Amino acid sequence: MTKRIIHVGHANDERDDRASAWAAGRGFEVDWRFPYEGDRLPEIDENVSGVVVYGGRFDVDPKDANPFLYDEARLIEDALKQDLPLLGFCLGGQLIADVLGRPVGPHPEGNAEYGYYPLIVSDEGRAVFGDDLTVLQSHWHGWYDLPAGAVHLASTAHFPQQAFRYGSNAYAMQFHPEASFNMLSRWAGRRSAERHAMPGAFPPERQLADHAIYDAPLGAWFNAFLDEWMDGRVGARQAAE
C-alpha cells in the first residue's frame, strides 16, 4: 500500500503549496483533511509516514470557538508520541507549542509580520537553516515560550519563537516556506488594511516585490529540508554538529 502523509489544512482552496507538491512528487499519497469543514482526522497507522499542519485564519485559543482544533491537537499529540515526522507552519506550529504546554497569543506590543524577514538562527538552527535565509511571514499571533524539552532553532527581530524541534523529527515553524506565489497573492489581497498597518508589517506591494528576491532560495532550502525531514536526517545532523 502506498505510504501517505496527512495534510491538515485550514482553507480548502489552498492546495497549491510546496509541501503537498513535494509529497506527491516523492510518490506519497497526499491525504488532505479539512477539520474546519467537518473532515474526520484519521488514526495514525503503519501507512502514515508523516503529518503536516498548515496555517490559517484561526487562533489557537480559545479552542471552544473552533472545537475542531481539539481534534488537530490530538493528532499532533499522537504524532509526537510516535516520533513521526511532523511539521507545523504558523497556526500548525503554534498548535504544536500548545500541545507541549505553552499558551500562544499575540505580540505583547502589537507587532505583526507580513512579508519577508531574515531569520536569526541559533547555534542548533544553523545546521537546519544555514546563516542567511529570509522567510515569508503572515501572522500577528505567535508569541509563546519555548516548550520544555524543545530545541530552539530560530527567531526574528520581533518574534522569538520562529522555529523549534521537538524529539527527533517534529518541527514547528512560524513562517511559511510552503507558500506559492499564488498563495501569497491571495493572502495579501484579502488581508485587511488594519493588519497591514500593524507595527512591523510590510505593505502588499513590498511583499509581492520581495517574493522575486527571496522565494527561490527559500524554496530550494525547503525542498532539501523536506527530503532530510522525511528521512530523519535533519535531527541526526544537528546532533552530530
Side-chain angles (χ1 to χ4, degrees), residues 3-190:
K3 293 287 188 176
R4 73 186 199 275
I5 298 177
I6 301 169
H7 293 251
V8 181
H10 301 101
N12 204 352
D13 62 344
E14 294 197 339
R15 305 188 190 203
D16 52 344
D17 72 290
R18 283 193 176 108
S20 63
W22 170 87
R26 297 302 187 275
F28 292 100
E29 176 190 345
V30 179
D31 186 358
W32 278 106
R33 303 292 173 122
F34 297 93
Y36 80 100
E37 291 189 332
D39 284 354
R40 184 185 63 83
L41 289 173
E43 299 294 326
I44 294 175
D45 59 27
E46 66 274 10
N47 293 313
V48 175
S49 294
V51 175
V52 179
V53 185
Y54 290 81
R57 64 187 185 274
F58 308 102
D59 296 328
V60 173
D61 285 316
K63 290 189 189 66
D64 289 344
N66 301 296
F68 61 87
L69 292 177
Y70 286 111
D71 294 330
E72 296 186 24
R74 282 191 288 270
L75 179 68
I76 288 170
E77 186 173 11
D78 288 345
L80 291 172
K81 286 179 179 178
Q82 298 186 40
D83 205 21
L84 193 73
L86 170 66
L87 187 55
F89 310 118
C90 202
L91 170 60
Q94 295 171 21
L95 280 166
I96 295 174
D98 178 76
V99 167
L100 294 172
R102 295 306 192 203
V104 179
H107 191 284
E109 297 177 4
N111 285 68
E113 292 180 318
Y114 294 113
Y116 287 86
Y117 301 77
L119 280 186
I120 303 168
V121 299
S122 67
D123 290 342
E124 293 84 357
R126 190 164 290 109
V128 180
F129 301 113
D131 290 308
D132 189 24
L133 191 64
T134 297
V135 298
L136 177 62
Q137 306 276 3
S138 181
H139 70 104
W140 63 286
H141 271 63
W143 187 270
Y144 56 90
D145 293 328
L146 182 69
V151 177
H152 179 255
L153 301 177
S155 59
T156 55
H158 294 296
F159 282 84
Q161 305 304 333
Q162 284 292 338
F164 69 81
R165 176 176 58 82
Y166 187 84
S168 64
N169 229 8
Y171 289 84
M173 300 180 185
Q174 182 57 54
F175 55 95
H176 288 279
E178 85 288 3
S180 65
F181 179 76
N182 288 337
M183 292 170 68
L184 170 59
S185 298
R186 287 194 296 267
W187 297 349
R190 69 193 181 202

